[in-house]
Amino acid sequence: MIAAVYSMKGGVGKTTLAVNLAWASATLSSRRTLLWDLDGQGAATFMLGHDPKGAKAEDGITGDRDPAKLIRPTAYDRLDLLPADESLRDLDVTFHGLGKRKRLAKIAEKLSKDYDRILIDCPPGLTDTSDQILRAADLVVVPVIPAALSRRALDVIADHVAGKKGPKVHLAPVFSMVDRRRALHRAELEKHPGWPVIPMASAYERMSEARAPVGALMGRSAMPVEAVAELWQRLEKVMAR
């Protein structure tokens, strides 16, 4: 199964969520998991302690190199990484030039033979790259900050998916960076009581400094880890259908 963590907007906790869900898949569910970093900023790659050297990530997209040859192990059992680097910053141009609408889907299908779960950390925006990802993924997790602009971005994504021909990917909105002390956040949570919630916590911010998932920084009973675990269990149920 292939899941993507995607938002039109940046700054919504997308990469942090992708890294933590990949860790949960590998550690809590004991699944062979690949985190595929498709964001040219390479934040997920950095968080998992990898410093890209040598081959360019773009080569795995264009076919100049087998993507499987670019995969690297991480410090966590059953969790591998397909790293990003600066070569992905023009990924939209690359996909446009290839002219193959299902290029990413075919690569993901091939990689999925070796993994139980593939999680994709996506660049923000509604572009050729996001269209490729929406065709490749079975499930798209959309982090939403409890605010009007973030909710509007989700609506745009939903409308875009509804307008596409063919099978529709399942969208799974998740409230991200939630501060229950704020009246606006509480009001948004009341409007959508069924949505999972990832709270605002300093532990998530520490991930970039420690270069590790939150589950590796804290015990499993800690609130930030429990929130990730609960979300992952819900996503597993969706993917099992």
Side-chain angles (χ1 to χ4, degrees):
M1 297 292 289
I2 300 164
V5 183
Y6 164 65
S7 174
M8 284 180 54
K9 287 176 56 60
V12 296
K14 171 183 63 65
T15 295
T16 299
L17 188 58
V19 171
N20 284 329
L21 290 177
W23 172 87
S25 173
T27 304
L28 303 183
S29 294
S30 299
R31 296 191 181 278
R32 296 170 302 162
T33 305
L34 175 67
L35 178 58
W36 188 356
D37 190 354
L38 276 176
D39 192 333
Q41 298 181 66
T45 297
F46 179 83
M47 282 187 186
L48 286 177
H50 185 76
D51 296 306
K53 296 178 181 178
K56 297 189 301 182
E58 184 186 42
D59 291 344
I61 302 294
T62 60
D64 292 332
R65 188 164 182 178
D66 183 353
K69 300 294 185 183
L70 301 175
I71 293 174
R72 298 291 179 264
T74 72
Y76 311 99
D77 291 342
R78 297 174 293 276
L79 177 57
D80 289 341
L81 171 70
L82 185 48
D85 55 44
E86 292 185 355
S87 69
L88 296 182
R89 291 186 175 179
D90 294 321
L91 193 53
D92 287 330
V93 177
T94 301
F95 279 128
H96 186 74
L98 288 171
K100 298 177 180 179
R101 298 172 65 248
K102 295 185 178 181
R103 175 63 178 167
L104 199 70
K106 290 182 178 179
I107 296 173
E109 182 180 5
K110 184 177 180 181
L111 292 174
S112 65
K113 295 177 182 179
D114 294 321
Y115 293 96
D116 302 313
R117 298 284 185 262
I118 295 177
L119 280 95
I120 305 175
D121 183 32
C122 310
L126 196 58
T127 62
D128 285 345
T129 299
S130 60
D131 277 347
Q132 290 271 349
I133 292 166
L134 290 171
R135 295 187 193 101
D138 302 298
L139 171 71
V140 175
V141 181
V142 185
V144 178
I145 294 176
L149 286 179
S150 191
R151 269 301 317 275
R152 181 177 180 276
L154 172 63
D155 292 340
V156 171
I157 295 169
D159 289 344
H160 183 72
V161 169
K164 291 288 184 181
K165 295 181 180 179
K168 298 295 189 293
V169 65
H170 182 91
L171 297 181
V174 176
F175 278 127
S176 177
M177 303 171 70
V178 173
D179 185 349
R180 294 182 184 272
R181 296 171 299 180
R182 300 180 61 181
L184 177 61
H185 284 206
R186 294 196 304 271
E188 286 296 315
L189 264 61
E190 289 175 2
K191 292 178 184 177
H192 303 280
W195 289 12
V197 174
I198 298 295
M200 179 76 75
S202 60
Y204 299 127
E205 298 175 355
R206 285 172 48 206
M207 287 174 56
S208 296
E209 295 181 5
R211 302 184 71 176
V214 70
L217 302 178
M218 311 178 73
R220 296 189 184 182
S221 61
M223 179 271 292
V225 183
E226 286 187 337
V228 170
E230 181 180 349
L231 171 58
W232 178 248
Q233 290 170 1
R234 293 179 64 164
L235 296 176
E236 281 272 57
K237 290 179 181 179
V238 173
M239 289 186 283
R241 293 174 186 168

